[in-house]
Amino acid sequence: TGFHFLIMLYFLYSYSNRLETGLFAGKPADYLFLLIFNWLALVVLCLFLDFPLLFDPMVMSVLYIWCQLNRDTIVSFWFGTQFKAMYLPWILLAFNLIIRGGGFSELLGILVGHLYFFLMFKYPQDFGGRTLIRTPSILYKFLPNHTGVMSGF
């Protein structure tokens, strides 16, 4: 529906902006790689599962990554309900399951977001493994890192 699309656009803008100005501030190539990796993983999964819609899972994957990186941040949901950010993707999944009778696209987004989060952050930092995915150097050529980032007016 149109309302669901507007809510998903808000989530995409809000949590994508938080990632870009937070962990990925001054690192546009790394953020683009996150988006490309998630998109490619979703394309492969959706082709394999014969699932034609990619927008909702892409938004959920970005939201999931932000929520995992900011696990203890308190977020607000409808009607003033507050909880830790790490529960937000699961609450959205349950909410969509109840309201729309679906939830498969949200689950795909959570799966892909977790894949990126695990390979990029969890496995190397918590399990002492090597970094399994890296931003390709060609992206740094076109979008170099910069320091002293100023945003706003």
Side-chain angles (χ1 to χ4, degrees):
T1 64
F3 182 69
H4 175 75
F5 181 71
L6 288 176
I7 294 296
M8 294 309 278
L9 277 178
Y10 168 75
F11 282 147
L12 180 63
Y13 171 77
S14 179
Y15 291 99
S16 188
N17 185 33
R18 291 177 190 186
L19 278 174
E20 282 186 280
T21 57
L23 179 69
F24 294 101
K27 300 186 270 185
D30 293 333
Y31 186 68
L32 180 62
F33 177 68
L34 175 147
L35 294 176
I36 291 171
F37 179 87
N38 286 1
W39 178 74
L40 286 174
L42 282 171
V43 166
V44 169
L45 269 175
C46 289
L47 283 174
F48 178 70
L49 298 171
D50 196 28
F51 188 74
L53 303 174
L54 295 176
F55 181 66
D56 287 358
M58 186 65 179
V59 172
M60 284 300 291
S61 69
V62 170
L63 182 134
Y64 181 86
I65 292 166
W66 181 87
C67 288
Q68 290 303 310
L69 292 171
N70 299 282
R71 297 175 68 83
D72 295 324
T73 302
I74 302 297
V75 294
S76 293
F77 195 56
W78 289 14
F79 311 114
T81 308
Q82 294 184 340
F83 45 84
K84 290 185 177 184
M86 65 185 193
Y87 301 119
L88 181 60
W90 302 106
I91 290 172
L92 287 174
L93 173 68
F95 186 76
N96 283 327
L97 189 65
I98 293 167
I99 299 297
R100 294 179 42 221
F104 184 68
S105 63
E106 287 80 8
L107 196 57
L108 279 177
I110 290 171
L111 177 70
V112 168
H114 185 73
L115 179 67
Y116 178 86
F117 178 75
F118 182 80
L119 294 176
M120 187 62 90
F121 300 108
K122 193 80 170 159
Y123 183 70
Q125 292 173 4
D126 292 351
F127 298 115
R130 63 184 185 85
T131 303
L132 297 175
I133 56 174
R134 287 201 167 101
T135 304
S137 58
I138 193 164
L139 292 179
Y140 289 118
K141 180 180 177 185
F142 294 108
L143 299 165
N145 290 346
H146 48 284
T147 57
V149 177
M150 294 283 295
S151 64
F153 295 100

